[in-house]
Amino acid sequence: MPAGRAEMLAWIDRQQDRLLETVAAWAGISSWSRDPGGIEAMQTAAAQAFGCLGPVSRIPARPREEITDTGEERSVAVADILSLRREAAAACPRVLLGIHLDTVHSPGPACPPVELTEQGRILRGPGVTDAKGGLAVMLVAIEAFERYGPADRLGWEVFINADEELGSPGSGLFLAEAATRNDLGLLYEPAIDDAGTLAGARKGSGNFTIVIRGRAAHAGRHFADGRNALTVAARLALACDRLNAAGRDLTVNVAALHGGEAFNVVPDLAVLRINVRAATADDAGWATSRLQEAVTQADDTEGCSATLHGTFHCPPKPLDARTRALLERVAAAGESLGLAIEQQPTGGVCDGNKLAAAGLPTIDTLGVRGGGIHSPGEYLVVESLVERAKLTALVLADLASRGLP
């Protein structure tokens, strides 16, 4: 291994305590996607940390549109995107690196504590793996590359968004534009498992909301005058669930049903929420059509109306030749560190789906090893902080030295 790379790896080794302390501190900041105050606090901490690499800009995100539990459409502000760049000569490769700082964990007594367990081998807490560990890995890896290079032969751009757990509705346009400015993408979602497996192909994801409106009536005196929106919603939910048996590579999850208040009132409103995962664009289109057909059949059933909202916010991400070549580069870097890095398909989605759809070959699970994401048991394997920072630093150095795959 060249002397400069050995020095780079040794420097990363010395960042172990700093990495752990940083992730623990960030996990102590509640940054639930729907908590503007917590997001702002986390953005301030991240901007301060990444300031060592250069000026951090704030890019306005578009408002997101949502359907409330009362069936109304509304726009909700989305926090800015944090961004910084290092320019290089036009002939040099350009890399987009990024990750989100929002989490699924709402603040309050149910939010898990941040704690170091198992003789310091495991860090537990909200967002430690998804994805504040990845955020710290990305920072230290870029720092190491900038110190030991060859930094002048690679351009890079960093983005940190705050709405990924909602499907990146506000930052999606920025991601599509950033994809056109770069040659490849590296994202810091957690590894698929605690062995460090990378994601290959990803399914696409669509979020759909069906609003059913009926007619309220007294459940005792005038029951026949009512039109029960909940019973129509229940039949729709079962119709959507039956799509799982259609023999296609997709899943349809009936995720939530809201409606009704008092026992003695025929409910006049129901809001049904559905998530669909599909491996191909054809399956995504088929599922969307079937949902619309079911809603059309339910519309005006027994005096009720039904309306479908939503779309596939994350297109499927197939494993194409360019991404496979990039995976091979990452695996080779891992091998030089004594790591056997595999890849496998997954039903999970992330911003890598959007970047790939915009034409950018992207590896999107370069974050830490761990597990229990999106649950109170979320954990991070502490040794993977240094391990994954080294992996990225070597990939960057390789791209700067050898060019694109």
Side-chain angles (χ1 to χ4, degrees):
M1 180 176 292
R5 297 194 185 186
E7 292 175 1
M8 180 174 68
L9 299 181
W11 182 85
I12 294 175
D13 278 329
R14 296 194 294 273
Q15 309 310 306
Q16 173 67 47
D17 290 345
R18 171 195 167 198
L19 279 162
L20 180 57
E21 291 168 4
T22 298
V23 177
W26 285 349
I29 301 172
S30 173
S31 55
W32 183 37
S33 307
R34 300 177 185 273
D35 178 9
I39 291 291
E40 177 61 33
M42 185 60 211
Q43 284 186 317
T44 299
Q48 182 178 3
F50 278 80
C52 68
L53 298 174
V56 178
S57 302
R58 284 180 174 250
I59 310 297
R62 295 191 302 176
R64 60 182 173 87
E65 306 300 321
E66 69 175 20
I67 306 296
T68 68
D69 287 345
T70 58
E72 305 301 324
E73 298 183 51
R74 70 175 180 183
S75 293
V76 182
V78 172
D80 294 341
I81 302 138
L82 302 183
S83 175
L84 62 157
R85 295 193 211 179
R86 188 188 193 285
E87 302 295 344
C92 295
R94 295 162 296 171
V95 182
L96 179 65
L97 305 97
I99 192 56
H100 60 97
L101 54 71
D102 60 320
T103 76
V104 301
H105 302 277
S106 58
C111 191
V114 181
E115 55 183 349
L116 194 62
T117 66
E118 299 185 25
Q119 289 77 50
R121 294 187 299 108
I122 299 294
L123 180 68
R124 301 183 183 276
V128 292
T129 302
D130 188 16
K132 292 177 181 179
L135 186 64
V137 163
M138 180 173 71
L139 170 62
V140 167
I142 299 172
E143 276 190 81
F145 173 71
E146 286 293 300
R147 284 171 176 263
Y148 298 98
D152 60 339
R153 291 161 61 182
L154 185 75
W156 52 260
E157 177 178 357
V158 166
F159 78 88
I160 305 169
N161 57 347
D163 62 340
E164 192 275 342
E165 295 294 4
L166 301 175
S168 302
S171 57
L173 181 61
F174 170 88
L175 296 176
E177 292 173 347
T180 67
R181 297 190 292 264
N182 293 279
D183 298 307
L184 57 89
L186 304 176
L187 297 191
Y188 291 83
E189 294 288 344
I192 294 296
D193 51 34
D194 61 11
T197 305
L198 300 178
R202 285 184 179 271
K203 285 185 176 180
S205 177
N207 289 334
F208 298 88
T209 300
I210 305 171
V211 179
I212 303 100
R213 298 187 184 277
R215 183 190 305 155
H218 191 289
R221 293 187 178 188
H222 305 292
F223 178 77
D225 293 337
R227 297 294 181 266
N228 194 313
L230 268 179
T231 58
V232 174
R235 286 193 287 272
L236 264 172
L238 292 174
C240 292
D241 184 67
R242 283 193 291 270
L243 297 179
N244 288 302
R248 289 177 175 258
D249 190 5
L250 58 79
T251 56
V252 180
N253 181 45
V254 178
L257 176 57
H258 302 274
E261 292 184 19
F263 283 104
N264 59 353
V265 177
V266 176
D268 63 348
L269 173 69
V271 178
L272 177 63
R273 301 188 190 276
I274 308 286
N275 175 256
V276 183
R277 306 287 172 120
T280 66
D282 180 64
D283 282 343
W286 181 87
T288 303
S289 296
R290 297 294 87 75
L291 288 177
Q292 185 59 68
E293 287 178 7
V295 170
T296 299
Q297 291 175 8
D299 190 39
D300 203 29
T301 297
E302 301 172 5
C304 291
S305 66
T307 307
L308 178 68
H309 303 266
T311 186
F312 265 78
H313 61 282
C314 275
K317 182 191 176 195
L319 182 54
D320 60 20
R322 293 191 303 162
T323 305
R324 191 180 296 278
L326 182 54
L327 279 165
E328 290 172 357
R329 283 282 189 96
V330 174
E335 186 176 358
S336 71
L337 294 170
L339 305 174
I341 297 179
E342 306 291 338
Q343 63 86 13
Q344 68 180 45
T346 176
V349 301
C350 71
D351 286 331
N353 291 65
K354 298 181 186 297
L355 294 175
L360 191 71
T362 302
I363 306 300
D364 51 33
T365 38
L366 288 165
V368 295
R369 294 188 286 118
I373 63 173
H374 292 199
S375 82
E378 184 169 348
Y379 70 91
L380 178 158
V381 178
V382 171
E383 68 178 4
S384 70
L385 288 164
V386 161
E387 170 192 300
R388 302 296 263 203
K390 286 180 177 180
L391 181 64
T392 288
L394 285 181
V395 170
L396 295 178
D398 178 71
L399 290 167
S401 299
R402 297 171 56 202
L404 297 169

